[in-house]
Amino acid sequence: GFFYLTGHQVPVRTREAAMDVIREFFALPLDEKLEADKAQSICHRGYETLRGQTLEPGAPADLKEGYYIGRDLPMDDHRVRAGKLNHGPNIWPQSLPKFRAHLSAYYSALLEVSRLLMRGLALSLDLDEDHFDVFTTDELATLRLLHYPEQPANPAPGEKGCGEHIDFGTI
């Protein structure tokens, strides 16, 4: 399901700065965006092209593009050396100098919100508030920023921004 969260205390400046740089990124010419292509990543980070994913089997590719970031770990980190799933360095576009700083700040702020939400979920299940803390330390968290360009007036059968799918993870 989905929900809107208010009162999360992520500063407006942090949110706006992140949205500004991701809009700048998606407005770049394709060749510049491809400099941060997630195909170069060992941990599924970076740019995913328009129609780069097909979530619904048998349907046309999704009419969206995305950018993935996570905990930015150097190649010599023990988790990266061990080949732990989705652990490694982020890919940052060189043409946008503020991109890394603004999205890193946004990622960190959202990570704190997710930890707070996990505590609220524990309480709602009549568990101790810290019940899920073990899962929110050294967690695997990905921030996926999506851009849905204007959709075609006459799409192909089954063509849409994002196909039917089941998500994985917690929140």
Side-chain angles (χ1 to χ4, degrees):
F2 295 88
F3 60 90
Y4 283 99
L5 180 64
T6 61
H8 47 68
Q9 300 180 357
V10 175
V12 171
R13 274 179 85 168
T14 302
R15 294 190 323 257
E16 288 177 351
M19 292 303 109
D20 286 347
V21 294
I22 199 65
R23 280 188 204 100
E24 282 182 64
F25 177 81
F26 286 128
L28 291 173
L30 180 59
D31 61 328
E32 286 186 52
K33 290 188 276 192
L34 286 174
E35 291 175 9
D37 189 346
K38 81 179 187 87
Q40 303 171 47
S41 174
I42 63 163
C43 57
H44 308 289
R45 307 281 175 73
Y47 174 64
E48 182 174 66
T49 62
L50 181 67
R51 293 185 169 95
Q53 184 177 51
T54 305
L55 288 173
E56 187 174 335
D62 296 344
L63 293 171
K64 67 178 182 336
E65 59 185 337
Y67 205 94
Y68 297 71
I69 66 168
R71 180 177 289 137
D72 203 9
L73 299 173
M75 292 299 291
D76 63 352
D77 182 278
H78 68 278
R79 295 160 290 192
V80 179
R81 285 194 328 266
K84 194 170 180 184
L85 179 69
N86 288 344
H87 283 67
N90 289 318
I91 297 177
W92 303 107
Q94 299 304 306
S95 60
L96 299 174
K98 296 180 182 180
F99 192 90
R100 181 179 190 160
H102 290 316
L103 285 184
S104 293
Y106 189 52
Y107 175 84
S108 294
L110 293 178
L111 199 54
E112 288 305 314
V113 170
S114 70
R115 290 180 178 131
L116 183 63
L117 286 172
M118 291 300 291
R119 288 180 157 244
L121 288 172
L123 291 172
S124 76
L125 296 169
D126 292 324
L127 301 169
D128 290 334
E129 182 177 352
D130 63 354
H131 181 81
F132 295 119
D133 284 2
V134 67
F135 300 106
T136 63
T137 302
D138 196 27
E139 65 282 325
L140 176 60
T142 302
L143 174 59
R144 186 172 180 210
L145 300 139
L146 298 174
H147 174 242
Y148 294 89
E150 190 172 325
Q151 303 293 294
N154 298 305
E159 187 174 45
K160 54 187 88 85
C162 184
E164 182 180 332
H165 65 284
I166 296 172
D167 286 330
F168 61 90
T170 307
I171 52 174

